[in-house]
Amino acid sequence: MDLPKNRFKAALKAGQHQTGFWNTIAGPIVPEALAAQGFDWIVVDTEHTTTEAFQVHASLQAIAAYPDVSAVVRPVSNDPAYIKRYLDMGAQTLMIPYVQTADEARAAVTAMRYPPRGIRGMAGGTRASRYGLVKDYMTRAEDELCLIVQVETASALEQLEEIALVEGVDAVFIGPADLSGSMGHPGNQAHEDVVAAIEDAFARLKAINVPSGILTLNEDFARRLISLGSGFTAIGTDISSLMRDISALKARMD
């Protein structure tokens, strides 16, 4: 059996924009439903959710039923133990939160790779290797793994190019929520200074040919960033969509 191809990584390299959605509700049903909508990528988030590591496995299986949809897993932190577990579960793209320096980006790269280039623990009978059927998995896995690092503070933005150009980093995700807080405007992602910083970051990443991405619930801003070269744009979260639709329905019936 051949090594599964990483469509998300291939599209990044080809410069094809990909539209995504955020899964925060634990369990496989919601990510499966989101995949059925035909998004290019779905984030299975374990940082700001109740989703535990063991639940990610079922979510990956659910998304896999839709071969044109890519799963992206966000660990709770830049922790090699979690990175190892999600890779063994078959996640091929990881989004690492709160990367502040190039050294932290290098640590994530090291955790993604098998020795001698990294520290990922070796296990043969995992979902990632199709339970051992991909015979050359350990020597080829790196080819189809994709690492996204999140840059989400003002101080990290000062080191953006240094972080983005770490060998093994495939893309940079700008985190607008934490960025707004670090700039003194907590929760106000629409503040002109925050917007300017995000747009500047996208321009800087484009200049060094590193794919950029973001999550924004503002449709106009999403279109604006796509026009500036966003490579992967998430346009909503499951819980925000649920609350918005329920609130609108309730208001219509009151």
Side-chain angles (χ1 to χ4, degrees):
M1 182 174 290
D2 197 11
L3 181 68
K5 300 299 181 182
N6 188 330
R7 295 177 303 278
F8 182 86
K9 184 176 183 177
L12 286 182
K13 287 184 174 181
Q16 300 170 357
H17 178 262
Q18 300 177 87
T19 302
F21 211 86
W22 221 262
N23 166 223
T24 70
I25 300 172
I29 294 175
V30 172
E32 182 179 20
L34 293 174
Q37 290 285 349
F39 289 101
D40 297 309
W41 56 289
I42 304 295
V43 170
V44 180
D45 188 7
T46 74
E47 183 190 13
H48 291 296
T49 73
T50 62
T51 301
E52 297 293 348
F54 75 92
Q55 295 173 299
V56 172
H57 190 276
S59 295
L60 291 173
Q61 291 175 315
I63 294 170
Y66 300 85
D68 293 329
V69 183
S70 297
V72 177
V73 176
R74 180 163 75 168
V76 67
S77 65
N78 190 1
D79 184 329
Y82 280 110
I83 289 172
K84 173 175 58 180
R85 292 189 73 183
Y86 296 138
L87 293 180
D88 283 351
M89 290 177 193
Q92 290 186 299
T93 301
L94 297 185
M95 180 184 292
I96 306 301
Y98 211 76
V99 173
Q100 292 287 91
T101 66
D103 282 342
E104 291 182 5
R106 278 187 280 270
V109 172
T110 300
M112 294 270 288
R113 292 175 169 174
Y114 285 122
R117 286 165 55 81
I119 62 170
R120 180 183 173 188
M122 292 190 175
T126 64
R127 182 173 180 270
S129 67
R130 294 299 190 259
Y131 305 101
L133 294 179
V134 180
K135 299 302 182 184
D136 56 352
Y137 177 77
M138 291 179 184
T139 59
R140 294 183 53 212
E142 186 181 313
D143 296 341
E144 298 298 335
L145 297 183
C146 181
L147 173 61
I148 305 167
V149 296
Q150 285 191 234
V151 171
E152 44 191 335
T153 67
S155 61
L157 280 181
E158 293 176 358
Q159 305 174 68
L160 179 61
E161 286 83 0
E162 185 179 356
I163 293 170
L165 291 173
V166 168
E167 193 272 329
V169 169
D170 296 290
V172 174
F173 179 93
I174 304 300
D178 284 299
L179 180 60
S180 69
S182 76
M183 295 181 67
H185 311 291
N188 187 5
Q189 299 177 31
H191 190 281
E192 60 182 2
D193 292 343
V194 178
V195 170
I198 292 171
E199 293 187 353
D200 178 66
F202 273 66
R204 291 160 62 189
L205 290 167
K206 185 176 182 180
I208 59 174
N209 199 33
V210 174
S212 56
I214 199 166
L215 163 66
T216 177
L217 307 187
N218 184 318
E219 295 179 21
D220 291 335
F221 192 45
R223 294 187 183 94
R224 166 68 176 162
L225 292 177
I226 293 170
S227 74
L228 294 177
S230 176
F232 55 110
T233 311
I235 58 173
T237 74
D238 47 19
I239 193 66
S240 64
S241 295
L242 176 68
M243 294 301 289
R244 182 178 62 246
D245 288 351
I246 291 174
S247 294
L249 175 61
K250 183 176 181 297
R252 290 195 300 270
M253 299 302 292
D254 281 347

